[in-house]
Amino acid sequence: MSSMLRARLGRARSAASDAGVDALLVPPGSELRYLLGGSGTSFERLTCLVLPAGGSPVLVVPKLEAPGYAAVAFDALGVDVATWVDGEDPYAVVARRLGRPGRVAVGDMMPALHVLGLRSAMPGAEQALAGPLLGELRMRKDAAEIEALRRAGAAIDRVHARMGEWLRAGRTEAAVGADIAAAIVEEGHVRAEFVIVGSGPNGASPHHRVSDRVIKPGDVVVIDIGGPEADGYNSDSTRTYSVGTPRDADVAATYAVLQAAQAAAVSAVRPGVRAEDVDATARKIISDAGFGDYFIHRTGHGIGLDVHEDPYIVSGNARPLEPGMAFSIEPGIYQPGRWGARIEDIVVVTAGGVEPLNNRPHELVELPG
Ligand code: ZN
Ligand code: ZN
């Protein structure tokens, strides 16, 4: 673990150096977890890994938050710890460590409070985002990360396999969603990060969560669920169900188009193919069938310690896919005011092609009404 993290810290410093950045300033969150193997939460008190391109790294952390980092092997990683107490200026602590940097890169999700605090303490330093630099490292998963994503994928598949226990006519989306959230934890996640139960017309809103709508016989229901396991790696999978025979006569034919598009996009994944070509593969099938206006989002997103991260499977992203990249393939067709459908698998690019990490059937799953 320590040798892997030391290698990541080294690669991050090289990336900073190559980009002309004097230091990365990384707040709690997925970026810090990637680099140190653990992370607390961001608060109004500054916690920040100061990772100079040259010179030794230090975690600047409030004294009262330091116990939250007890599991981090600071000595083995060669990272100092500098605690500060209320009344001290933590931004000045960072500035003293760095001297007079010309350019620093702050973590993508650093609170504005701290970004501006650091700017005041180092007025001569241009600020950039660290996310693009760290994203280059994070998007190529090693074997242990892929194994973690595989475990998370199998866990969320087990939740989908149990959907008939909860999804029935006469129940509200919220009640079904609460049961699913409990099952997400039962099957091995530390929490349900998101639970979408989009029944009937609500299924046409891709990021609907749950509501008090009572599920009716004949409803098509989009179920998009996921969360992190203890190691921080996330699951994310969507299946579309019908409660009894679908009420709308166009469901079967439309769903067949979606299923074909999703399968074709998965099959298109292999090293060297551009991310945008995978998007285009799904989009062409849906557009050719006349539903292009109803596919209102990109085909997918990378996944790892964040549910959404690089690489994005979207028009305009000409990045060639490489082994170790992990992302979703999740086209949808959304009929406003009526119903929607989405099919989502996480896949990993392998040397020879693609490995899907979600393996539940892709057909519209008809549950008893
Ligand atoms: Zn999803
Ligand atoms: Zn997704």
Side-chain angles (χ1 to χ4, degrees), residues 267-341:
S267 298
V269 173
R270 61 184 173 277
V273 169
R274 293 178 300 191
E276 64 182 358
D277 291 342
V278 176
D279 179 84
T281 299
R283 205 164 297 280
K284 181 171 193 318
I285 291 172
I286 290 171
S287 296
D288 286 353
F291 299 115
D293 289 345
Y294 302 116
F295 177 17
I296 54 177
H297 54 70
R298 66 193 174 211
T299 291
H301 54 81
I303 188 167
L305 292 170
D306 283 317
V307 179
H308 288 183
E309 60 181 51
D310 286 323
Y312 291 95
I313 308 303
V314 62
S315 168
N317 185 3
R319 177 186 289 278
L321 299 178
E322 296 174 43
M325 291 181 173
F327 47 84
S328 70
I329 301 283
E330 52 175 309
I333 296 178
Y334 308 98
Q335 307 273 358
R338 298 177 56 227
W339 62 278

Side-chain angles (χ1 to χ4, degrees), residues 80-168:
D80 298 338
V81 177
T83 59
W84 61 277
V85 295
D86 292 343
E88 284 184 83
D89 178 356
Y91 309 113
V93 174
V94 174
R96 273 199 301 276
R97 296 290 296 214
L98 290 178
R100 290 184 169 275
R103 194 153 183 258
V104 297
V106 300
D108 278 18
M109 298 300 164
M110 182 180 276
L113 174 74
H114 299 320
V115 175
L116 297 184
L118 290 163
R119 171 168 288 173
S120 295
M122 297 178 283
E126 182 195 335
Q127 290 181 331
L129 285 177
L133 296 177
L134 294 173
E136 284 296 323
L137 311 181
R138 293 174 61 191
M139 82 172 86
R140 297 175 186 87
K141 268 76 179 176
D142 64 26
E145 292 181 285
I146 290 167
E147 184 53 35
L149 288 169
R150 216 178 261 132
R151 272 196 304 272
I156 209 68
D157 279 3
R158 291 195 295 275
V159 178
H160 272 298
R162 293 175 56 191
M163 202 54 62
E165 294 178 31
W166 318 298
L167 182 54
R168 284 189 298 278

Side-chain angles (χ1 to χ4, degrees), residues 155-169 171-173 175-184 186-187 194-198 210 215 220-226 237-243 360-361 364-368:
I156 209 68
D157 279 3
R158 291 195 295 275
V159 178
H160 272 298
R162 293 175 56 191
M163 202 54 62
E165 294 178 31
W166 318 298
L167 182 54
R168 284 189 298 278
R171 305 193 74 203
T172 64
E173 291 175 355
V176 172
D179 288 343
I180 294 171
I184 287 173
E186 284 166 24
E187 297 295 348
F194 54 92
V195 175
I196 295 175
V197 181
V210 298
I215 294 163
V220 172
V221 186
V222 176
I223 306 280
D224 186 350
I225 52 180
S237 178
T238 310
R239 289 294 182 268
T240 300
Y241 298 82
S242 86
V243 178
R360 293 291 303 158
L364 183 72
V365 183
E366 192 172 319
L367 296 172

